[in-house]
Amino acid sequence: VHCKAGKGRTGTMICALLVYARAFPSAYDALVWFEGRRGGLRSGVTIPHQIRWIAMLERWLHHKDAGLTSNPMGDAEPHRLRALRFGPLPTAFWASESPSTGARSAERGMLVRVGLASRIDVQHGRVTFTYPDVYGKVDDSGRVEAAMPADGPIWRENDGLLRIEVLRPSSASCGVGIVRKRPKKKLELWWHHSFLQRREANGDAADGVEVLVVDVPKAWIGGLHKDMEKHKKTPADFTLTAIFDDLLEGAASECELLNATLSGSPDMCSRMRSTVV
């Protein structure tokens, strides 16, 4: 078993096999063993997505579908990215500044560029879909919240890679708007539908509406895991939350409403569900 460096993908497959074969009681023990056997500086599996994947495998082997949103071995259920929350970020990341004077404005916000990549596209170094740049609002604690366009793609795969670029804004001296500069921060997060958590939606959503959420600390975010010792890039309490709409659940609720109000046929739900999938 070998990849380019014999470290990340190689270690992931070896540790997954050890966990599957019950050679070690946990993913952690398998990862520690691999690092010790390979030797060298930072010799084990260090990429957050890969470590989380091994932990997910361990969770599924021990408990199967119990407590999961869906069956990871089954067909994908449609979902769509709804919003992102991340932070806190230092003031220098979100405060805009004038190109002529360098003075920072009091406006709390930044541009965020978001991309989604399927497993196949990641293998080929591509991004499946890139949203138009969105404006992220920053609260008093420095945490950013960005809402995705409602016409974003419906994701029909079990998993995917979320790529986020925090763009540095600056107020144009002529007052035209925002001048976009190079990304100041790049974040990556791999998600799997089965391991998303169901939570009640906040904000303007009606009571009882549920969304799917993945919420991870700094150590599990690609682009920040190497900053865990000195915390120079972001504070230790940095977190990233991705919120998805569960479109399969939404279709079920909508067709049930139609059945109740229009006296539809008993199989209306299944027909509507098939059109969403």
Side-chain angles (χ1 to χ4, degrees):
V1 180
H2 213 290
C3 57
K4 182 178 180 180
K7 178 179 178 293
R9 288 166 291 175
T10 297
T12 299
M13 296 307 299
I14 291 176
C15 291
L17 177 60
L18 293 172
V19 171
Y20 179 80
R22 302 291 200 271
F24 289 95
S26 69
Y28 173 80
D29 292 313
L31 287 162
V32 171
W33 177 87
F34 174 75
E35 182 177 9
R37 295 292 291 180
R38 187 175 183 276
L41 181 63
R42 295 179 60 85
S43 57
V45 182
T46 56
I47 297 177
H49 322 316
Q50 296 171 338
I51 297 175
R52 289 176 60 235
W53 189 88
I54 302 170
M56 289 176 182
L57 175 63
E58 178 199 347
R59 164 65 175 76
W60 182 77
L61 289 173
H62 288 174
H63 305 285
K64 298 302 179 183
D65 300 345
L68 298 184
T69 300
S70 60
N71 178 7
M73 303 300 291
D75 295 333
E77 297 187 4
H79 51 295
R80 178 163 46 205
L81 184 63
R82 174 177 182 156
L84 294 172
R85 297 176 186 145
F86 57 89
L89 289 173
T91 305
F93 280 93
W94 52 262
S96 59
E97 56 186 41
S98 169
S100 57
T101 65
R104 290 179 177 170
S105 71
E107 183 180 4
R108 294 178 177 270
M110 63 176 59
L111 288 173
V112 180
R113 182 173 299 160
V114 180
L116 306 175
S118 66
R119 184 180 292 268
I120 295 298
D121 282 338
V122 169
Q123 293 176 1
H124 291 86
R126 302 188 298 251
V127 177
T128 307
F129 180 83
T130 300
Y131 288 88
D133 295 351
V134 297
Y135 185 77
K137 297 180 180 179
V138 183
D139 63 17
D140 293 338
S141 66
R143 297 185 183 275
V144 184
E145 180 165 356
M148 296 297 104
D151 59 350
I154 298 176
W155 204 254
R156 291 183 170 88
E157 300 190 23
N158 279 323
D159 56 5
L161 182 65
L162 178 64
R163 290 180 171 172
I164 305 170
E165 295 181 5
V166 179
L167 308 178
R168 181 183 179 185
S170 63
S171 300
S173 58
C174 60
V176 173
I178 295 178
V179 177
R180 302 176 185 180
K181 297 186 178 181
R182 296 177 59 187
K184 294 194 66 176
K185 187 68 59 186
K186 294 183 179 181
L187 313 174
E188 289 189 341
L189 175 65
W190 196 281
W191 86 88
H192 194 292
H193 181 275
S194 298
F195 292 86
L196 299 176
Q197 300 178 0
R198 292 192 183 277
R199 297 182 186 174
E200 189 169 321
N202 297 322
D204 298 330
D207 293 339
V209 175
E210 289 187 337
V211 292
L212 303 175
V213 178
V214 55
D215 189 4
V216 296
K218 178 178 179 178
W220 300 125
I221 302 172
L224 296 182
H225 60 289
K226 295 182 179 180
D227 187 44
M228 288 302 297
E229 293 184 5
K230 298 182 179 180
H231 301 294
K232 289 185 176 181
K233 296 181 179 180
T234 58
D237 59 344
F238 188 99
T239 60
L240 170 60
T241 302
I243 304 169
F244 296 85
D245 285 320
D246 187 352
L247 301 183
L248 195 60
E249 285 296 320
S253 299
E254 183 176 335
C255 70
E256 288 166 2
L257 178 61
L258 285 173
N259 280 338
T261 57
L262 302 178
S263 300
S265 59
D267 61 342
M268 180 178 291
C269 282
S270 58
R271 292 207 306 271
M272 286 190 64
R273 192 178 289 261
S274 65
T275 61
V276 175
V277 177

